[in-house]
Amino acid sequence: MEMETELVLSSSLHYMLPRKRAVGGEAVVVEVEEDNCKAGSLKKSRILTATIGPAEATGNVNTNSSIGDNNSNHSRGDAKPPIMALGEGNPPDIDEDLHSRQLAVYGRETMRRLFASNVLISGMQGLGAEIAKNIILAGVKSVTLHDEGSVELWDLSSNFIFTEDDVGKNRALASVQKLQELNNSVVISTLTTELTKEQLSDFQAVVFTNTSLEKAIEFDDYCHNHQPPISFIKSEVRGLFGSVFCDFGPEFTVFDVDGEDPHTGIIASISNDNPALVACVDDERLEFQDGDLVVFSEVQGMTELNDGKPRKVKNARLYSFSLDEDTTNFGAYEKCGIVTQVKQPKVLKFKPLKEALKDPGDFLLSDFSKFDRSPLLHLAFQALDKFIMELERFPVAGSEDDARKLISLACKINDSLTVGKLEEIDQKLLHHFAFGARAVLNPMAAMFGGVVGQEVVKACSGKFHPLFQFFYFDSVESLPSEPLDPSDLKPINSRYDAQISVFGTKLQKKLEDAKVFIVGSGALGCEFLKNVALMGVSCGNQGKLTITDDDVIEKSNLSRQFLFRDWNIGQAKSMVAASAAASINPHLHIEALQNRASPETENVFDDTFWENLIVVINALDNVNARLYIDQRCLYFQKPLLESGTLGAKCNTQMVIPHLTENYGASRDPPEKQAPMCTVHSFPHNIDHCLTWARSEFEGLLEKTPAEVNAYLVNPIEYTSAMKNAGDAQARDNLERVIECLDKESCETFQECVTWARLKFEDYFANRVKQLTFTFPEDAATSNGAPFWSAPKRFPRPLQFSIDDPSHLHFVMAASILRAETFGIPIPDWVKSPMKLADAVSKVIVPDFLPMKDAKIVTDEKATGLSTASVDDAAVINELIMKLEKCQKKLPPGFRMNPIQFEKDDDTNYHMEVISSLANMRARNYSIPEVDKLKAKFIAGRIIPAIATSTAMATGLVCLELYKVLHGGHKVEDYKNTFANLALPLFSMAEPVPPKVIKHQDMSWTVWDRWILGDNPTLRELLQWLRDKGLNAYSISYGSCLLYNSMFPRHKERMDRKLVDLAKEIGKAELPPYRRHFDVVVACEDDEDNDIDIPQISIYFRY
C-alpha cells in the first residue's frame, strides 16, 4: 500500500485536491488480485470506485418525462431494437442542476444511456487524457484507463494531469485520482498490463490512442464480431497531424442524426389534389426537405390527415410543399393544423479496420483547399506504423535519414495499391509528418479529444451521426514561415521538448515571453488556460497572462468548466481558474482580475495595458462583450482570437491586424422576436407562453416590489419624477404600486393563497373570457377574413379545480413567492395538498363580467405602452394622492423583497411559478405543455453546452495562436472554422481580408488609426490633413462639435490646443493614465468628394 499512499500525498498539493463531489458515499481505493482481468477486476491493479449512494442503489428513474432527445416522434421503444451495445442497467437519477446545459443538448434518454455505459481508453498521453476528461464530464458509468508505460518529461507538453513529480510512474495510475475529481459519479479504474481482446467484452466503447495497426486490427475484429458489437475507435495525434477511425459494428442504429428539434409548420391551406399542395403561414420559413416524413395534427375539415401516418414531402419550398398523397376524395380543408417532421432512425454498416484500410471510402473533409490531403495522410499513418514496427522507435525530429525512410515506406505502400493509388506523393508534407511524429501537441490533443469524446457519446447512446469512418486533419500552416534548423528541434530536457521538436526553440521562447489577455474564465476560458499553460505561453521571465471574469462559480458550471470543483461554488471564477492553471504549469505568470472588460473599467485596462499586449483571446458568452473587445483590439491593433460554442456546434474566427476583417464587420441577423400582441393575447407555441410567463414573473415579483421600494425610500423624489414623466409608463407604474400596496397587499399567508388563487382566475379564466367576448370564434377582420385564422388559436378558459395537481401546484408556488416579497413566514402546511386545498376553498372568487369597450392590442407592430395622452397628467396626480393614503397605512420602515429570477436553484420555486404560468396558458390555447426542465431551457434562455465542442474550439484557436505569436504568416495561412460534431461537419476557410479605402497614393483599412503627436492645435491638425490632400470640414469629439467650417466663430479656435477644446467644449475627462483622445474628422478631396478617413488620435502627453 506504500505506492498508493505516495500517490495520494504527491498529489495533495495539486490544484485538483483529493476531495470528492458528494454521491452519497466516500471514494475508496482498493487493490484487487484475480486471475482473469476484466473491466471491473484488475490483476495487481488499483481501482478507485465511488460507494453507491441511495440514489444509485435504488436505480429508480423517472420515465414519465416529456423531454427526450429532441425527437418526440420515435422513442427507443418505437424503433427497431438497436443492433449495438448501448448502455444497459438502472443508472441513477440525473442531477439536473449539474447537467442542465448538457441535458439541453442530449436530452434525458441519451444521458441515461451514457450513465449506463462502460468505456475503455487505452493510451494515457495527451490525447487519452483529453478524451477521458470529456467523457468523464459527460457522465458515463465507468472509465477504465489502460497504459503500460511510464510518465516522461516529454508527456508534460500535452497532458494536463501530470506534474514533474509523476515522472516515472505508470501513466494510468498517475491519472486516476485527478480524473476522478472531475466527476465522482463515474467509476474510474486502471489496467497497467498488456491488454487482451477478451478484456474488451465488458465495454460499450473502446478507444485506442497509441497502439500498432496490427494490434488495432486484432482488437477491432473482436469488437466488430462481438455480440452485441463493441464500438471501436482508433485515434492518433502525431505532431501537427491527426487521425480518427470509427467502427461501431456491422449495423449501428442512429436514433437522432443531427440533434435538432423536429421542424414544424402552421398550416394555412391544403388542396384536394394529387399530389396535395400544403401551404403554411409565412410566420416562419419551413425547414422541410424533399424526402422528409411529416405527420399532421389539429387539421379541421380534412381530418383524414390527422391519423398519425407519416407522409413524404415533395417539392419543398419556403412556405409550402407537395404531399406524396392523393387528397382528391378527402374532406375539404377548413382551418387550423400543425405539420411536424418525423425524425427517422438510420442504420449504418461499418467496415472493420482491416477492410477499411484497403478501401477507405470517402474521407471526412475539414478543408476543401486540402481536398487531396486525406489519401496522402492515410498512407502516411500506415508508413509511420511500419517505421515503428521495423525500428522500434519514432522518427527523430530533424533527421533527414528518418524522413527519407518514412517517405520510402509510404511509396512502397502506395505502389502496392490496386485501388486508390496516388499519382504523386508530397514529400515536403511527409518531411513535416516525420519530423513531428513523436510529439503529441496540446492543441491537437484538445481538438481531437473533443472529436473523439463526441464519438464515444454517439457510440454509447445512438445520439448524433457517427464519423464514418476515417477523418484526417493537419495544421502544417502553424509551422514557422521560415525553414527550421534541424538543430533547433533537439530536446533540451524541458517539459516543452515535444513542442520544441515540432516548432523549435525560437518559437518556444516567443511563446514563453508573450503578454496575453484572456477575457472570460468559464468553459472556454478553463480550456484556454489549460492549453496555454501546457504550451508554455507566458511562462518566461518576460511573459504575463492576464485573465478577467466578474462571475462566480455555480453548480451548473461543473459539468464542463473542468478547473472548478464543488467546493469552489460561490468563489470567483478567474481566481480559481488561475490557481488551477498555475498548478498545471508552475512557471505560468498569471494575474487574475474580477473586472468586466467594459468602458467602465478602462482605468484598469488602460492604454498602457492594451499597448503592451501581444494577443487577446476571447472566452466570452455574449455578443456585446465580444464587440467591445473587438473595438479595443481594432483600436490598439492587437490580434484577437475569437471562438464560441452552441451545443455540438462551434466556430472560430481569427482577427489579425491589417490581414483580416474585424469581428464586428459581419453580424448575424438579430433573432426574430414575437410581436407583443402574440405573446400577450395570441400565443401559438410554448415559447410564446414561456416568454409571457417570465415577463409576468418579473413584473409581479421583481419590478413591482422594486418600484414600491423606490417610492418608499424617497416618496417626494419618486412622485416628482412620475409627474415630470407624465406618460403612460409613469401612469402604469403608479397603478401597479397602488395595486400592490392596496387591494393586493398581503399580511398573512392565507392572504397570499388568496392572491395566488385570484391570479389563476384572472390569468386563465377572466382574461380568456374577455378576449373571446371581444373576438368571438366567428369574428371577422375588417376585410371579412376569419379573425381566428392561422396562426391564431382560439382559447378556452380554465375551470379551477383543487383536484387538478397542476392548479394546486401553481397556487402553492405563487403563494410562497408572494409571501417572500412581503416578508411573511411560509408555513409547512402549504406543501400538504389537503391543507392547501382547504385554504384555497376559503377563497371567494367574484363573478366575472366582460367589458364591452375593452382594448386588446392586435397590431403586430405595437411594441409597448402608448405615448402620453392628455388624460395622463390628471390621472397621475390622482394616483399620487391614492398612493400617499396607502403609505400612511403601512408599518414604519416597511419594505418589500423583490425576487430576481434565478433559474439554477431548484429549491426557490421560481421555475415552478414560470412553468405553471406557461403550462396553464398553453392549456388555454391547446398548445402542448412542457416539463420544468424544458421550461427552464426556454425561459432561462439556457445556452446548450457540452465539453467536447468547447475542447475542440479551443484546440483550433491554439493552433492559430502558434501563427500569431510567431508572426510573418499570410492571411491564407490562417483558418476560420465552423464545426458541428453532431453531423459531423468541419468547414475551414481563410479569413476575409478587410475592405481597403484608397486616396491618391494612400490606402487604409478599418485597422488604421492616424496618430498626431506633440499636443497640436486645431490649425496644425487641419494643415496636417491638407498635406495629405484632404480638406477637413468637421471635427468632433464624442457628440460635441469642435470645429465646423460653416461656423465663422469656430475660426477663432484655430490656434487653441485641441486638448483644451476637448475639455472645454466636449467636457472631456482625461485622467492621468490617459495620454491621448480621439477625434472624428469629416473630409473632402479637392473635387468635393467625401473621403472616409480613419479615426485620429491626438497625443497631448507622453
Side-chain angles (χ1 to χ4, degrees):
M1 294 296 287
E2 286 180 13
M3 177 189 71
E4 295 169 6
T5 306
E6 181 186 345
L7 177 69
V8 173
L9 292 177
S10 69
S11 306
S12 64
L13 297 178
H14 194 274
Y15 73 96
M16 295 174 175
L17 298 173
R19 297 162 76 177
K20 284 87 185 167
R21 186 175 303 153
V23 291
E26 290 298 316
V28 295
V29 179
V30 296
E31 189 171 284
V32 180
E33 187 171 342
E34 289 190 12
D35 294 333
N36 298 318
C37 287
K38 291 186 179 180
S41 57
L42 315 175
K43 186 175 181 181
K44 285 287 188 184
S45 298
R46 299 174 69 253
I47 309 173
L48 185 64
T49 75
T51 304
I52 296 176
E56 288 98 331
T58 60
N60 292 331
V61 177
N62 176 18
T63 56
N64 300 320
S65 164
S66 64
I67 182 170
D69 285 13
N70 297 332
N71 184 352
S72 58
N73 303 301
H74 284 265
S75 67
R76 190 178 176 186
D78 298 331
K80 179 182 175 183
I83 312 174
M84 58 179 173
L86 288 182
E88 300 293 338
N90 293 317
D93 284 341
I94 298 165
D95 185 337
E96 292 179 1
D97 283 350
L98 176 64
H99 291 293
S100 59
R101 275 61 176 172
Q102 187 170 299
L103 276 164
V105 182
Y106 294 145
R108 283 198 182 96
E109 186 57 35
T110 291
M111 293 286 287
R112 290 194 182 107
R113 291 175 188 153
L114 277 180
F115 285 1
S117 298
N118 303 303
V119 179
L120 169 74
I121 300 172
S122 176
M124 286 307 297
Q125 293 170 308
L127 177 57
E130 290 287 337
I131 297 166
K133 163 179 64 74
N134 293 332
I135 63 174
I136 290 167
L137 288 171
V140 292
K141 181 179 181 181
S142 76
V143 173
T144 299
L145 311 173
H146 169 253
D147 201 305
E148 299 164 49
S150 299
V151 177
E152 303 173 37
L153 190 62
W154 183 273
D155 295 328
L156 270 60
S157 275
S158 61
N159 191 311
F160 68 93
I161 299 170
F162 302 148
T163 68
E164 292 186 21
D165 292 338
D166 293 318
V167 172
K169 298 175 184 175
N170 174 272
R171 288 195 190 98
L173 293 177
S175 302
V176 66
Q177 180 179 345
K178 296 169 189 175
L179 286 174
Q180 183 71 72
E181 293 247 341
L182 297 175
N183 188 344
N184 248 4
S185 299
V186 179
V187 177
I188 301 176
S189 55
T190 60
L191 275 170
T192 59
T193 56
E194 187 175 353
L195 203 61
T196 63
K197 60 188 179 184
E198 289 75 20
Q199 289 173 280
L200 307 183
S201 62
D202 288 338
F203 302 100
Q204 276 70 46
V206 294
V207 181
F208 292 87
T209 68
N210 189 27
T211 193
S212 68
L213 269 177
E214 183 183 6
K215 269 291 182 187
I217 289 169
E218 178 191 345
F219 290 146
D220 178 58
D221 280 345
Y222 179 83
C223 293
H224 191 87
N225 295 314
H226 191 272
Q227 289 300 322
I230 301 162
S231 295
F232 174 93
I233 302 170
K234 183 180 190 301
S235 183
E236 294 177 84
V237 166
R238 304 297 178 199
L240 288 166
F241 300 81
S243 72
V244 182
F245 168 78
C246 294
D247 172 13
F248 293 178
E251 288 190 336
F252 181 86
T253 303
V254 185
F255 296 114
D256 182 358
V257 294
D258 60 10
E260 303 294 337
D261 286 330
H263 301 307
T264 63
I266 300 170
I267 297 167
S269 67
I270 308 173
S271 68
N272 291 90
D273 279 320
N274 185 17
L277 177 66
V278 181
C280 292
V281 298
D282 59 2
D283 194 47
E284 288 183 12
R285 58 180 292 174
L286 295 174
E287 300 289 343
F288 299 142
Q289 296 180 354
D290 290 2
D292 279 354
L293 294 178
V294 294
V295 292
F296 292 81
S297 59
E298 303 181 28
V299 176
Q300 295 185 26
M302 197 179 286
T303 54
E304 294 88 344
L305 291 178
N306 294 331
D307 57 6
K309 169 187 163 186
R311 293 170 165 86
K312 189 175 286 187
V313 168
K314 301 196 316 187
N315 304 321
R317 300 287 184 267
L318 289 181
Y319 302 105
S320 67
F321 60 90
S322 295
L323 199 61
D324 193 10
E325 180 99 16
D326 183 357
T327 61
T328 308
N329 297 318
F330 286 13
Y333 173 81
E334 293 173 8
K335 62 178 181 177
C336 300
I338 305 290
V339 57
T340 306
Q341 177 192 24
V342 178
K343 300 188 76 172
Q344 294 291 296
K346 181 179 180 180
V347 176
L348 296 175
K349 298 184 178 182
F350 287 84
K351 287 186 286 193
L353 178 59
K354 191 173 183 179
E355 289 179 28
L357 280 170
K358 297 173 184 173
D359 182 16
D362 292 333
F363 297 103
L364 176 63
L365 293 178
S366 62
D367 187 341
F368 283 98
S369 70
K370 301 178 178 180
F371 187 79
D372 56 351
R373 187 67 53 87
S374 293
L376 177 59
L377 295 183
H378 190 62
L379 280 180
F381 276 92
Q382 292 178 70
L384 177 62
D385 182 74
K386 281 191 178 296
F387 185 104
I388 296 168
M389 291 290 285
E390 289 182 13
L391 301 182
E392 297 184 345
R393 64 172 176 83
F394 282 95
V396 174
S399 169
E400 290 293 336
D401 289 343
D402 284 359
R404 280 193 291 269
K405 170 76 172 172
L406 187 137
I407 292 168
S408 172
L409 289 170
C411 291
K412 284 180 183 176
I413 295 169
N414 187 50
D415 291 341
S416 69
L417 296 175
T418 53
V419 179
K421 184 176 180 180
L422 299 183
E423 293 180 7
E424 188 179 348
I425 287 181
D426 184 341
Q427 296 198 11
K428 184 180 178 183
L429 189 79
L430 292 187
H431 257 90
H432 291 316
F433 181 80
F435 282 10
R438 187 188 166 203
V440 178
L441 299 175
N442 166 258
M444 291 290 291
M447 179 208 161
F448 275 85
V451 174
V452 176
Q454 195 64 58
E455 294 307 307
V456 173
V457 170
K458 296 172 187 178
C460 295
S461 67
K463 178 82 168 182
F464 302 155
H465 196 293
L467 194 159
F468 194 81
Q469 290 187 253
F470 280 105
F471 173 59
Y472 292 102
F473 173 85
D474 74 86
S475 183
V476 288
E477 302 83 10
S478 295
L479 288 169
S481 49
E482 74 279 354
L484 288 167
D485 181 348
S487 64
D488 198 35
L489 305 177
K490 292 180 180 178
I492 57 172
N493 197 32
S494 147
R495 63 177 292 148
Y496 312 118
D497 278 352
Q499 189 164 261
I500 287 169
S501 74
V502 177
F503 295 100
T505 54
K506 292 185 181 68
L507 180 56
Q508 185 61 46
K509 182 73 166 63
K510 288 185 176 181
L511 295 178
E512 292 177 38
D513 288 343
K515 292 179 175 62
V516 180
F517 186 25
I518 296 179
V519 192
S521 59
L524 287 166
C526 285
E527 289 284 341
F528 278 128
L529 280 174
K530 175 255 298 176
N531 293 355
V532 298
L534 291 171
M535 292 164 68
V537 174
S538 304
C539 292
N541 293 331
Q542 306 300 314
K544 183 179 179 182
L545 171 62
T546 305
I547 185 160
T548 192
D549 196 311
D550 67 341
D551 203 2
V552 296
I553 297 164
E554 299 174 359
K555 185 178 180 180
S556 63
N557 301 149
L558 302 180
S559 66
R560 63 200 186 286
Q561 299 177 20
F562 81 104
L563 297 182
F564 306 145
R565 302 291 172 266
D566 49 6
W567 59 86
N568 297 133
I569 291 171
Q571 297 174 14
K573 283 186 175 182
S574 59
M575 304 297 288
V576 174
S579 174
S583 297
I584 291 174
N585 187 343
H587 303 292
L588 181 66
H589 296 149
I590 185 167
E591 181 182 12
L593 301 174
Q594 296 173 55
N595 304 95
R596 182 188 296 265
S598 66
E600 291 73 36
T601 56
E602 288 181 8
N603 61 322
V604 178
F605 307 111
D606 57 18
D607 293 4
T608 303
F609 172 83
W610 281 96
E611 286 164 358
N612 286 335
L613 292 175
I614 293 178
V615 64
V616 179
I617 300 174
N618 263 356
L620 292 162
D621 61 0
N622 69 89
V623 172
N624 288 337
R626 287 183 169 103
L627 288 170
Y628 173 75
I629 298 297
D630 177 56
Q631 286 302 308
R632 294 272 87 190
C633 289
L634 200 60
Y635 187 86
F636 291 99
Q637 302 186 26
K638 301 298 176 183
L640 171 64
L641 308 188
E642 172 60 57
S643 58
T645 69
L646 180 67
K649 305 180 185 79
C650 70
N651 72 285
T652 68
Q653 182 181 351
M654 302 306 109
V655 179
I656 311 299
H658 306 289
L659 291 183
T660 74
E661 67 177 10
N662 62 307
Y663 172 79
S666 56
R667 299 282 298 276
D668 291 332
E671 276 190 45
K672 187 177 179 183
Q673 299 289 325
M676 188 185 76
C677 66
T678 299
V679 170
H680 283 275
S681 301
F682 309 110
H684 54 80
N685 61 42
I686 195 65
D687 289 43
H688 297 154
C689 298
L690 282 160
T691 300
W692 171 84
R694 177 156 176 184
S695 174
E696 290 299 314
F697 177 99
E698 290 174 346
L700 290 171
L701 301 168
E702 181 184 0
K703 291 178 182 176
T704 298
E707 201 73 26
V708 168
N709 289 348
Y711 167 70
L712 295 174
V713 167
N714 197 328
I716 296 172
E717 187 178 307
Y718 181 86
T719 53
S720 175
M722 293 299 109
K723 285 178 183 177
N724 292 337
D727 58 7
Q729 184 64 60
R731 177 175 171 174
D732 181 66
N733 288 347
L734 286 166
E735 286 172 346
R736 284 190 293 113
V737 170
I738 292 168
E739 185 177 58
C740 187
L741 294 177
D742 188 15
K743 67 177 185 178
E744 292 191 357
S745 178
C746 298
E747 294 180 5
T748 65
F749 192 80
Q750 176 63 47
E751 289 178 350
C752 296
V753 172
T754 301
W755 175 86
R757 171 64 185 90
L758 294 179
K759 276 294 170 193
F760 182 100
E761 199 69 16
D762 175 40
Y763 283 143
F764 311 121
N766 297 349
R767 293 192 189 188
V768 174
K769 290 173 185 176
Q770 180 64 64
L771 181 62
T772 54
F773 176 82
T774 305
F775 301 108
E777 196 165 6
D778 58 357
T781 63
S782 56
N783 59 12
F787 179 84
W788 293 101
S789 59
K792 290 189 181 77
R793 301 171 74 91
F794 187 77
R796 312 280 176 190
L798 300 185
Q799 178 68 46
F800 184 87
S801 169
I802 57 173
D803 297 322
D804 188 323
S806 60
H807 292 189
L808 216 52
H809 193 75
F810 168 80
V811 172
M812 179 193 74
S815 58
I816 286 172
L817 293 191
R818 187 62 170 178
E820 264 187 50
T821 63
F822 278 93
I824 297 169
I826 298 162
D828 290 337
W829 59 257
V830 70
K831 294 170 188 174
S832 163
M834 287 182 62
K835 291 179 180 177
L836 179 61
D838 288 342
V840 173
S841 299
K842 296 174 185 174
V843 178
I844 298 170
V845 180
D847 292 334
F848 175 75
L849 291 173
M851 295 183 292
K852 292 184 179 179
D853 57 349
K855 292 180 180 178
I856 297 173
V857 177
T858 58
D859 180 6
E860 292 194 355
K861 294 178 182 176
T863 56
L865 294 169
S866 59
T867 54
S869 67
V870 178
D871 299 332
D872 282 334
V875 173
I876 284 170
N877 286 331
E878 194 177 314
L879 290 171
I880 287 170
M881 291 172 65
K882 281 187 183 178
L883 187 53
E884 288 168 351
K885 289 179 183 177
C886 291
Q887 185 198 9
K888 291 173 183 175
K889 299 176 185 176
L890 296 174
F894 173 81
R895 296 289 185 273
M896 293 192 71
N897 304 311
I899 296 175
Q900 196 164 11
F901 175 56
E902 172 48 61
K903 61 184 177 291
D904 286 322
D905 180 357
D906 278 349
T907 65
N908 62 13
Y909 291 96
H910 295 190
M911 278 311 307
E912 272 83 355
V913 168
I914 286 178
S915 58
S916 293
L917 281 167
N919 282 332
M920 294 304 100
R921 188 167 178 79
R923 204 173 291 182
N924 282 140
Y925 288 86
S926 303
I927 294 168
E929 297 172 32
V930 292
D931 68 2
K932 193 175 79 170
L933 183 64
K934 182 74 172 178
K936 182 197 281 193
F937 295 157
I938 300 170
R941 299 171 192 134
I942 286 176
I943 306 297
I946 47 178
T948 49
S949 55
T950 305
M952 181 182 178
T954 59
L956 288 167
V957 168
C958 288
L959 287 171
E960 302 300 306
L961 182 60
Y962 287 125
K963 306 171 190 177
V964 171
L965 293 180
H966 174 266
H969 285 76
K970 299 175 183 176
V971 67
E972 55 265 27
D973 294 329
Y974 289 95
K975 299 291 180 184
N976 289 349
T977 304
F978 171 78
N980 185 343
L981 290 174
L983 300 178
L985 166 74
F986 304 96
S987 177
M988 306 184 81
E990 68 180 66
V992 177
K995 179 184 174 184
V996 178
I997 299 170
K998 295 184 178 180
H999 170 68
Q1000 295 180 355
D1001 58 348
M1002 296 183 294
S1003 64
W1004 57 84
T1005 70
V1006 68
W1007 284 102
D1008 289 290
R1009 174 164 61 103
W1010 289 350
I1011 294 173
L1012 185 57
D1014 299 326
N1015 197 14
T1017 63
L1018 175 58
R1019 187 186 304 279
E1020 287 168 339
L1021 171 59
L1022 294 173
Q1023 185 59 49
W1024 186 75
L1025 290 167
R1026 281 196 201 98
D1027 293 342
K1028 298 177 182 292
L1030 297 165
N1031 303 311
Y1033 60 83
S1034 175
I1035 301 172
S1036 57
Y1037 171 80
S1039 59
C1040 297
L1041 203 58
L1042 303 185
Y1043 169 76
N1044 190 295
S1045 59
M1046 300 289 289
F1047 299 160
R1049 290 190 63 185
H1050 283 195
K1051 290 179 182 177
E1052 298 171 8
R1053 302 173 179 175
M1054 282 294 185
D1055 294 313
R1056 295 194 61 189
K1057 297 286 188 182
L1058 283 163
V1059 66
D1060 295 332
L1061 293 176
K1063 289 177 179 177
E1064 180 183 319
I1065 299 161
K1067 307 300 180 188
E1069 294 181 7
L1070 301 171
Y1073 60 81
R1074 179 63 55 81
R1075 295 184 288 132
H1076 73 274
F1077 64 96
D1078 304 312
V1079 293
V1080 175
V1081 183
C1083 291
E1084 296 174 334
D1085 61 16
D1086 292 334
E1087 283 77 44
D1088 296 337
N1089 298 311
D1090 276 330
I1091 305 294
D1092 188 9
I1093 70 167
Q1095 195 173 43
I1096 298 178
S1097 293
I1098 307 297
Y1099 277 76
F1100 58 91
R1101 68 163 72 105
Y1102 288 95

